[in-house]
């Protein structure tokens, strides 16, 4: 595959063949003319949004909901909160919030805005993401946060009374928490009409938001504010033939662009960390083949598994004689701005979380992008100058793509969201004003699971433990484990496991082949019983040996992940203390600990079968053990395991497994089975159909 044949629609010639052998070296055209650095103020005034400043402020003043539509890069995310700040919306201790679907967007944009405002990050301008709060209770006026964090805040402050304006950014992406938040905000605004909402969206599905916020009686509920954006043309090229390995093709295409004598950074879209690592490897093999090339190629990964600091490094401006190639997941698609990108290479795939209500199992699946995403990705190349987008698929594949990705609420596990809605006092789910309703089967399965787990009573009402679990910032199952640790006297260990399963990539995979994962190093921590106890051993050893970087290095552990786990653990410990949960140690009694694990993973049970795979308890689905598991080559003595999560790649793989005894979970599994085979048991049916009058916000009571 020394050359990939691309074709640009509208050309009849063979098209753009990026062939490394036809390009001359040494004739590099130096980058665009250099400008004297502009002052912050004049930079801000040069943004396309600037001339709409007064109109935006007027509409926010006059209308409860302003839906702002403008091209990516025109300045919505960074400027609107500042305009509001300057216009006095943060007076009298009020806060202007701007929500983002992703944590990297919240942190990077907060950094940018803090520097524009001339403040230290965490002072006037701050951010709040799960397990990381860089804001000041007294002084922060502009707060960027994930939409999930603001949604959670309604549990403690149902009217979100600290905020004068809430901007829901990237609403068109329709993430689950964006949708839920919009539903709540609409409700809150009825109670507190002074609250102003700004809904921002890069694409033109603004009318559906307008309809959602407009009542039949009034025309003044909401308005669309359209901002003309600066757009540079982006040429799109398609592969002539499909590629069997888009990761390799992406590396190849990037390399071929690099060998051409034109400046500009490259952004590659792949689906996940493993692909990104493989692409980095492909590139690192190519780079030494041209040692004398006038420009250095610097590959940089960008995915959710990196720390905020690592993610931010991709935003640094490259030196003049270097070219950045950023290899990213979908997180670079909409919400982050990376200056200098001139070339986009789009694999055409994305990893999304999908939920199968039949088996009640959620998994990550790699699927083709929608056309809307393809357009959005291509747009990344035209932010500062005309660009080119190389799509690693033929135009015929583009033609079969869906127009847009369905809202997450239609394809996600509703268990946690429903528990949270119940905790907000919204009992009548039928009456909740959904932007898009979740499928009734997902709702029923979620209710059923919550009843089985004791978080809802058979009447569909929240139990005491349910209310407390809803407040914990970890996955439902993990939260339940934390509460159940009281019965099993193992809070100390469960806290560690909760923290360790909240961080990614604890073990460093040195040679890139997950199957050969530094066995020798890891064996030191390996617990017979499985991955959870192995993680526990690793954590305890890390703490025992002084939490040192060099110790991590010599034990193939990620210092970053381990340090994060320490911080998360101390935050979770505060929750346990708040709920008066004892933090006792099981003193090495692995059996008790594993029984406690079962109480959290009540939905994730699997049984070993003779060919070395597993079958899920729910749905009888074939599951493969992820190669990073200590159970990869081992049959569980009992034949049964629970697992932390599953991921669908070419096959369905389960990660973080622990051996269990089937009779520990019989009670839970049997009760679930019972409900599956009797889907009309009374409580379950009532919950979906009856209309309780408690369907109000707590504050209304
Ligand atoms: O939200 P929207 O896509 O409309 O734009 P924005 O994120 O507010 O970005 C406005 C401009 O600020 C971009 O065109 C970039 O030039 C610049 N920016 C940046 O340089 N670095 C950032 N982290 C964010 C924005
Ligand atoms: Mg934006």
């Amino acid at each position: 595959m020394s050359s990939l044949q691309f074709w640009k629609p509208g050309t009849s010639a063979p098209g753009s063949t990026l062939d490394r052998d036809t390009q001359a070296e040494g004739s590099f055209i130096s980058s665009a003319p250099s400008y004297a650095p502009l002052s912050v103020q004049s930079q801000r005034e040069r943004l396309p949004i600037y001339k709409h400043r007064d109109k935006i402020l007027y509409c926010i003043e006059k209308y409860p909901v302003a839906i702002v539509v403008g091209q990516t890069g025109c300045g919505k995310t960074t400027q609107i909160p500042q305009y509001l700040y300057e216009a006095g919306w943060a007076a009298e201790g009020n806060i202007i919030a701007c929500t983002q679907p992703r944590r990297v967007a919240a942190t990077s944009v907060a950094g940018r805005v803090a520097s524009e405002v001339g403040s230290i990050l965490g002072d006037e301008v701050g951010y709040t993401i799960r397990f990381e709060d860089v804001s000041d209770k007294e002084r922060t006026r502009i707060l960027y946060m994930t939409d999930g964090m603001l949604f959670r805040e309604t549990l403690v402050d149902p009217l979100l009374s600290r905020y004068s304006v809430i901007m829901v950014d990237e609403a068109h992406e329709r993430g689950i928490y964006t949708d839920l938040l919009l539903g709540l905000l609409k409700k809150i605004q009825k109670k507190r009409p002074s609250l102003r909402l700004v809904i921002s969206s890069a694409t033109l599905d603004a009318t559906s938001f307008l309809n959602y916020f407009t009542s039949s009686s009034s025309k003044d509920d909401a308005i669309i504010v359209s901002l003309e954006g600066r757009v540079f043309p982006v040429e799109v090229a398609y592969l002539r033939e499909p590629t069997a390995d888009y990761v390799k093709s992406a590396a190849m295409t990037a390399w071929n662009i690099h060998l051409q004598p034109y400046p500009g950074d490259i952004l590659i879209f792949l689906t996940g960390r493993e692909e990104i690592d493989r692409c980095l490897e492909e590139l690192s093999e190519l780079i030494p083949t041209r040692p004398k090339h006038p420009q250095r190629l610097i590959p940089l990964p960008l995915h959710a598994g990196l720390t905020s600091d690592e993610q931010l490094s991709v935003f640094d401006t490259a030196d003049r004689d270097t070219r950045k190639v950023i290899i990213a997941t979908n997180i670079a698609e909409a919400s982050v701005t990376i200056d200098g990108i001139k070339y986009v290479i789009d694999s055409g795939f994305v990893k999304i979380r999908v939920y199968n209500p039949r088996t009640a199992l959620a998994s990550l699946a790699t699927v083709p992008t929608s056309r809307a995403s393809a357009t959005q990705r291509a747009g990344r190349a035209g932010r500062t100058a005309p660009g080119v987008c190389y799509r690693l698929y033929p135009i015929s594949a583009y033609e079969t793509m869906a127009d847009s990705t369905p809202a997450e609420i239609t394809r996600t596990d509703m268990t946690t969201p429903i528990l949270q809605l119940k905790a907000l006092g919204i009992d009548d789910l039928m009456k909740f004003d959904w932007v898009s309703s979740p499928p009734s089967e997902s709702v029923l399965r979620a209710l059923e699971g919550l009843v089985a787990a004791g978080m809802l009573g058979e009447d569909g009402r929240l139990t005491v433990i349910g209310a407390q679990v809803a407040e914990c910032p970890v996955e439902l199952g993990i939260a339940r484990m934390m509460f159940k640790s009281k019965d099993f006297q193992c809070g100390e260990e469960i806290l560690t496991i909760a923290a360790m399963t909240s961080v990614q990539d604890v073990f460093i995979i040195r040679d890139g082949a997950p199957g050969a994962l530094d066995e020798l190093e890891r064996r030191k921590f390996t617990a017979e019983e499985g991955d959870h106890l192995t993680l526990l051993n690793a954590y305890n050893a890390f703490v025992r040996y002084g939490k040192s970087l060099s110790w991590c290095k010599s034990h193939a552990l990620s210092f970053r992940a381990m340090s994060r786990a320490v911080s998360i653990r101390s935050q979770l410990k505060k929750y346990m203390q708040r709920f008066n949960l004892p933090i006792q140690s099981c003193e090495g009694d692995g059996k008790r600990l594993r029984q406690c694990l079962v109480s959290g993973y009540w939905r994730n049970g699997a049984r070993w079968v003779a060919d070395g795979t597993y079958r899920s308890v729910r749905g009888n689905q074939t599951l493969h053990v992820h190669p990073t598991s200590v159970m990869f080559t081992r049959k569980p003595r009992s034949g049964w395991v629970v697992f932390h999560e599953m991921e669908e790649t070419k096959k369905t793989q389960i990660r973080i497994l622990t051996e269990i005894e089937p009779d520990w979970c019989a009670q839970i599994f049997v009760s679930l089975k019972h409900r599956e085979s009797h889907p009309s048991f009374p409580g379950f049916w009532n919950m979906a159909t009856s209309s309780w009058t408690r369907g109000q916000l707590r504050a209304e009571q």
Side-chain angles (χ1 to χ4, degrees):
M1 198 174 49
S2 76
S3 85
L4 288 160
Q5 291 266 334
F6 282 95
W7 173 74
K8 294 177 181 169
T11 57
S12 51
S16 141
T17 304
L18 275 168
D19 188 327
R20 61 160 123 171
D21 296 322
T22 59
Q23 302 302 329
E25 278 182 19
S27 54
F28 210 87
I29 300 164
S30 77
S31 6
S34 55
Y35 298 101
L38 290 168
S39 73
V40 168
Q41 190 51 32
S42 45
Q43 267 187 50
R44 292 187 55 204
E45 288 173 14
R46 284 165 65 107
L47 287 173
I49 199 169
Y50 183 69
K51 59 176 186 290
H52 303 281
R53 186 179 188 274
D54 292 343
K55 177 169 79 177
I56 295 168
L57 287 172
Y58 168 80
C59 290
I60 295 173
E61 178 87 46
K62 181 154 189 309
Y63 294 87
V65 182
I67 298 148
V68 179
V69 179
Q71 283 294 330
T72 306
C74 77
K76 299 180 296 298
T77 312
T78 55
Q79 303 305 306
I80 293 177
Q82 289 187 74
Y83 295 166
L84 290 163
Y85 185 26
E86 291 153 2
W89 283 92
E92 293 159 19
N94 282 312
I95 299 174
I96 298 155
C98 178
T99 70
Q100 298 292 322
R102 299 184 191 83
R103 63 187 191 112
V104 62
T107 55
S108 75
V109 94
R112 168 83 184 184
V113 173
S115 76
E116 287 190 14
V117 169
S119 103
I120 301 168
L121 186 58
D123 199 32
E124 264 166 289
V125 181
Y127 69 83
T128 311
I129 59 179
R130 185 157 75 147
F131 299 127
E132 213 173 313
D133 181 10
V134 182
S135 71
D136 185 283
K137 271 204 168 53
E138 304 297 319
R139 288 202 299 273
T140 298
R141 302 275 69 95
I142 299 179
L143 184 59
Y144 288 91
M145 60 210 301
T146 48
D147 41 23
M149 284 303 288
L150 189 60
F151 180 76
R152 189 171 280 284
E153 195 172 325
T154 57
L155 278 173
V156 283
D157 179 7
L159 292 181
L160 296 176
S161 51
R162 326 197 263 159
Y163 305 99
S164 55
V165 187
I166 294 170
M167 170 164 167
V168 180
D169 208 353
E170 312 290 352
H172 63 276
E173 281 191 30
R174 302 289 308 280
I176 169 95
Y177 284 102
T178 300
D179 270 27
L180 292 172
L181 193 57
L182 289 174
L184 284 185
L185 290 173
K186 186 173 173 181
K187 218 170 147 82
I188 291 172
Q189 221 176 23
K190 282 189 193 130
K191 277 267 135 193
R192 192 159 80 81
S194 62
L195 173 68
R196 286 294 179 263
L197 300 182
V198 180
I199 314 291
S200 126
S201 161
T203 47
L204 283 163
D205 44 7
T207 34
S208 59
F209 291 121
L210 185 73
N211 295 337
Y212 178 71
F213 282 103
T214 312
S215 64
S216 49
S217 57
S218 169
K219 284 237 166 331
D220 292 334
D221 290 332
I223 187 169
I224 296 179
V225 188
S226 166
L227 318 169
E228 269 169 53
R230 171 179 57 180
V231 238
F232 292 95
V234 176
E235 255 188 295
V236 176
Y238 293 89
L239 270 188
R240 290 193 162 265
E241 299 292 334
T243 167
D245 180 353
Y246 60 73
V247 176
K248 198 163 181 174
S249 301
M252 214 59 192
T253 307
W255 183 243
N256 289 336
I257 291 168
H258 179 60
L259 295 183
Q260 293 187 55
Y262 308 108
D265 295 333
I266 305 169
L267 173 62
I268 300 179
F269 284 101
L270 297 174
T271 73
R273 186 206 143 120
E274 273 139 40
E275 286 180 7
I276 290 173
D277 286 347
R278 190 150 69 83
C279 191
L280 284 169
E281 250 167 67
E282 294 275 347
L283 279 170
S284 66
E285 277 168 25
L286 289 166
I287 290 169
T289 62
R290 295 287 167 107
K292 294 214 179 81
H293 194 71
Q295 250 199 337
R296 265 197 323 141
L297 188 67
I298 312 221
L300 295 166
L302 178 60
H303 55 76
L306 303 173
T307 55
S308 307
D309 280 352
E310 285 168 325
Q311 288 177 344
L312 292 182
S313 74
V314 306
F315 301 101
D316 296 343
T317 322
D319 295 338
R320 263 173 86 85
D321 58 349
T322 59
R323 190 201 296 274
K324 286 196 290 188
V325 48
I326 295 153
I327 312 171
T329 58
N330 209 37
I331 66 175
E333 185 178 297
S335 23
V336 297
T337 304
I338 307 162
D339 281 345
I341 300 292
K342 222 180 139 172
Y343 303 95
V344 163
I345 300 170
D346 179 5
S347 65
F349 284 89
V350 64
K351 203 180 273 185
I352 57 170
R353 199 162 270 284
V354 284
Y355 174 69
N356 180 345
R358 192 180 51 80
T359 55
L361 289 174
S363 64
L364 285 169
T366 301
V367 299
T369 58
S370 65
R371 287 187 201 194
S373 282
T375 307
Q376 189 74 28
R377 289 180 175 188
R380 303 272 94 186
R383 303 269 304 213
T384 40
V388 189
C389 171
Y390 294 95
R391 291 185 175 154
L392 300 176
Y393 48 88
I395 193 164
S396 54
Y398 175 77
E399 281 158 357
T400 58
M401 284 176 177
D403 285 343
S404 59
T405 313
E408 195 182 359
I409 202 161
T410 63
R411 53 179 169 81
T412 199
D413 178 5
M414 290 299 291
T415 312
T416 301
I418 285 181
L419 181 70
Q420 289 172 332
L421 287 172
K422 294 264 178 188
L424 286 170
I426 299 167
D427 267 334
D428 188 350
L429 301 169
M430 300 308 244
K431 277 206 182 147
F432 186 71
D433 196 352
W434 305 99
V435 186
S436 293
S437 303
S440 53
E441 196 176 357
S442 306
V443 176
L444 293 177
R445 284 293 152 131
L447 290 168
E448 172 201 40
L450 288 167
V451 172
M455 297 192 205
L456 296 180
E458 292 266 339
D459 61 354
R461 298 209 173 209
L462 205 62
T463 58
V464 174
I465 180 177
Q468 294 180 335
V469 162
E471 259 185 71
C472 277
V474 281
E475 263 178 58
L476 191 70
I478 303 286
R480 186 168 193 265
M481 239 179 251
M482 282 164 51
F483 282 87
K484 289 284 173 183
S485 69
K486 186 179 170 184
D487 302 346
F488 297 102
Q489 294 152 348
C490 57
E492 196 69 73
E493 288 78 11
I494 287 295
L495 261 181
T496 304
I497 288 171
M500 288 294 273
T501 50
S502 297
V503 296
Q504 288 178 335
D505 308 314
V506 171
F507 294 102
I508 294 169
I509 304 165
R510 268 192 277 240
D511 57 2
L517 176 108
D518 292 272
E519 259 309 311
L520 224 88
E521 282 310 327
R522 236 198 14 191
R523 226 173 268 158
K524 297 187 181 139
F525 308 117
T526 297
E528 280 282 295
E529 296 92 336
D531 296 306
H532 291 91
L533 274 71
T534 303
L535 289 172
L536 178 66
N537 289 343
Y539 183 94
N540 289 340
F542 176 65
V543 174
R544 191 173 331 120
Y545 292 100
K547 303 178 184 170
S548 95
L549 175 64
S550 58
W551 183 85
C552 279
K553 274 203 175 129
S554 60
H555 289 82
L557 287 170
S558 156
F559 178 70
R560 177 189 64 74
M562 297 304 297
S563 311
R564 204 169 136 75
V566 170
S567 147
I568 292 176
R569 189 181 189 280
S570 72
Q571 296 182 49
L572 293 177
K573 191 171 176 178
K574 291 193 191 121
Y575 278 90
M576 301 242 327
Q577 288 163 338
R578 182 140 69 84
F579 298 129
N580 291 324
L581 293 165
I583 302 171
Q584 296 157 294
S585 168
C586 66
E587 313 284 356
D589 184 349
K591 183 176 164 197
R592 248 198 286 153
L593 186 54
R594 285 182 298 137
Q595 285 175 325
C596 187
L597 290 178
V598 171
S599 71
Y601 294 122
W602 81 94
R603 294 169 296 176
N604 294 0
R607 150 180 74 82
W608 190 86
V609 288
D611 63 359
T613 64
Y614 287 80
R615 296 287 178 277
S616 60
V617 172
R618 311 195 70 178
N620 208 30
Q621 194 174 343
T622 301
L623 306 171
H624 298 260
V625 180
H626 197 273
T628 53
S629 170
V630 298
M631 305 289 289
F632 185 55
T633 48
R634 188 185 318 154
K635 171 187 186 287
R637 286 158 298 192
S638 67
W640 291 79
V641 292
V642 285
F643 57 92
H644 181 67
E645 60 184 358
M646 63 186 237
E647 179 176 316
E648 215 148 297
T649 44
K650 286 188 184 86
K651 48 192 181 185
T652 307
Q653 292 185 324
I654 47 179
R655 280 179 195 265
I656 317 186
L657 279 64
T658 282
E659 216 180 284
I660 55 156
E661 295 300 326
D663 52 328
W664 297 342
C665 49
Q667 212 180 345
I668 282 176
F669 291 155
V670 165
S671 70
L672 287 173
K673 277 247 164 298
H674 166 77
R675 282 176 183 127
E676 263 162 30
S677 51
H678 300 94
S680 57
F681 85 99
F684 157 109
W685 190 242
N686 289 343
M687 277 180 281
T689 51
S690 70
S691 5
W692 290 298
T693 45
R694 258 188 70 209
Q696 308 274 322
L697 280 176
R698 268 191 200 157
E700 292 172 328
Q701 291 167 357

